[in-house]
Amino acid sequence: MIDKIRNTVLSLISKNNRGYLTPIEFNLYADMAQLYIFEKDFDEYSKSIVKQNNRLYNSEYSDTPKFLRERIDRFVKYVTLSYNSTPKTFSYSDTDIYKIMNLEYNGTDIEEVSKMHLNKLKKASSTTVDEKYPIYTRLGNDFSVLPITIVSGVTCLCIKRPKAPNWTYTVVNGNPMFNQSAGDYQDFEIHPSQEVELIIKILGYAGLTITSEQVMQFSKNEEILQETKKQ
C-alpha cells in the first residue's frame, strides 16, 4: 500500500506544481498521518457508541461501531508482564503500547482500583482480596497487584501503536526506486479502507489541500491511463 500511496501523493503534488517530496519527507509525513488517523478512530468510536445507544444506526450495513472496532482490533495484543520483587510490581518492556485495556491473572480479570480505594481495602478487615478476586492499581508504567502472593501469570490486554511506515528504496540513475525487500521496509498498518484519508493527510502536511472526491477521481483516471498503456 505504501508505494501506491507515495506514487499518488507525488503525482498530485506534481500536477499541482507543488514541487517534490523526498523519501525522508514522505516517510515523516506518512508516520504523522498514520498516527493521526489511528488516534482519531478512538474518538470516532466513542461518538459512534453514543449514536448507537440513541438508536441512530438501524441496519447491519450502517454498523459504524463494529466497523471502527474492526479497525482498532488490528492493534490489540496480549503482553506478559514481568514481576519486580523490589518494589513488588509488574511491568512491561514493550515500547509500542498505546493504551492499557485490561489486566488478567491466569484468565481471571484483575479489577483496577484507585490508589485511595486501595488503601481503604487494605484497612478494611471485612474485605477479602485473594487470588480469585485480585485487584491492581497503576503506578506510572508499573502495576501493583494484590494479593502479594501473585508473582507470575499476569498478562496485559493492550492496544499497540502502529509501526512507523518506511518507504525503502535503492538509487538507480540518481532516482530512488522502491525496494520492498529492504530489511527496514515497513508498510502502513492501519486498515486499507483508510488509504484515501492517508493520501489527503500526507498532502496536507506537504501544503496541498484536496478533497477525497478529487483523490478518488485522480486515482480512477490513473487506472484508466495505465489500462490504456497496456493495450
Side-chain angles (χ1 to χ4, degrees):
M1 182 165 70
I2 191 171
D3 189 48
K4 179 183 177 183
I5 287 178
R6 181 177 181 274
N7 289 337
T8 303
V9 166
L10 292 184
S11 297
L12 284 166
I13 287 177
S14 176
K15 180 176 181 293
N16 288 271
N17 299 316
R18 292 302 182 99
Y20 175 77
L21 277 185
T22 67
I24 293 176
E25 290 173 327
F26 172 79
N27 286 333
L28 174 63
Y29 295 157
D31 185 28
M32 293 167 60
Q34 178 172 247
L35 189 57
Y36 172 85
I37 295 170
F38 166 76
E39 293 180 336
K40 185 166 66 67
D41 273 350
F42 292 93
D43 181 55
E44 290 185 355
Y45 179 70
S46 297
K47 292 178 180 178
S48 70
I49 290 297
V50 173
K51 290 183 178 180
Q52 185 181 62
N53 292 337
N54 290 329
R55 301 178 182 277
L56 296 179
Y57 299 124
N58 55 15
S59 83
E60 180 180 355
Y61 297 104
S62 63
D63 193 347
T64 302
K66 179 182 178 181
F67 180 62
L68 288 169
R69 189 167 58 250
E70 288 175 352
R71 298 204 310 205
I72 294 172
D73 281 347
R74 297 166 67 90
F75 302 97
V76 173
K77 70 173 184 176
Y78 275 101
V79 173
T80 299
L81 301 184
S82 301
Y83 180 70
N84 309 303
S85 57
T86 306
K88 295 179 179 180
T89 58
F90 286 86
S91 62
Y92 55 84
S93 58
D94 299 53
T95 59
D96 64 345
I97 293 181
Y98 174 76
K99 183 181 179 65
I100 301 297
M101 299 175 65
N102 188 40
L103 258 63
E104 296 180 10
Y105 169 63
N106 290 340
T108 299
D109 288 343
I110 306 177
E111 181 182 357
E112 182 178 12
V113 298
S114 67
K115 297 176 183 63
M116 185 179 298
H117 191 197
L118 180 64
N119 291 331
K120 291 180 179 179
L121 288 175
K122 287 179 178 179
K123 295 177 181 179
S125 59
S126 60
T127 302
T128 300
V129 178
D130 56 28
E131 295 188 9
K132 292 184 178 179
Y133 304 99
I135 61 174
Y136 81 92
T137 186
R138 186 166 183 173
L139 306 170
N141 287 331
D142 295 334
F143 306 90
S144 177
V145 178
L146 290 178
I148 59 174
T149 53
I150 297 177
V151 295
S152 64
V154 176
T155 56
C156 169
L157 180 65
C158 61
I159 297 174
K160 70 181 185 69
R161 292 177 180 274
K163 295 178 181 177
N166 188 28
W167 185 83
T168 49
Y169 63 95
T170 54
V171 178
V172 179
N173 296 326
N175 297 312
M177 302 296 293
F178 182 48
N179 179 20
Q180 188 172 344
S181 62
D184 56 345
Y185 163 75
Q186 178 59 55
D187 202 353
F188 289 101
E189 288 199 314
I190 59 177
H191 198 274
S193 65
Q194 297 168 293
E195 181 178 311
V196 172
E197 193 174 359
L198 274 171
I199 293 171
I200 292 173
K201 200 64 185 174
I202 294 171
L203 288 170
Y205 290 132
L208 177 60
T209 302
I210 195 169
T211 66
S212 59
E213 290 77 12
Q214 289 173 304
V215 172
M216 294 176 70
Q217 184 59 49
F218 177 83
S219 298
K220 183 178 180 180
N221 292 341
E222 285 294 301
E223 289 177 3
I224 294 174
L225 180 62
Q226 292 302 320
E227 288 297 323
T228 301
K229 288 181 178 180
K230 293 178 182 179
Q231 296 176 0

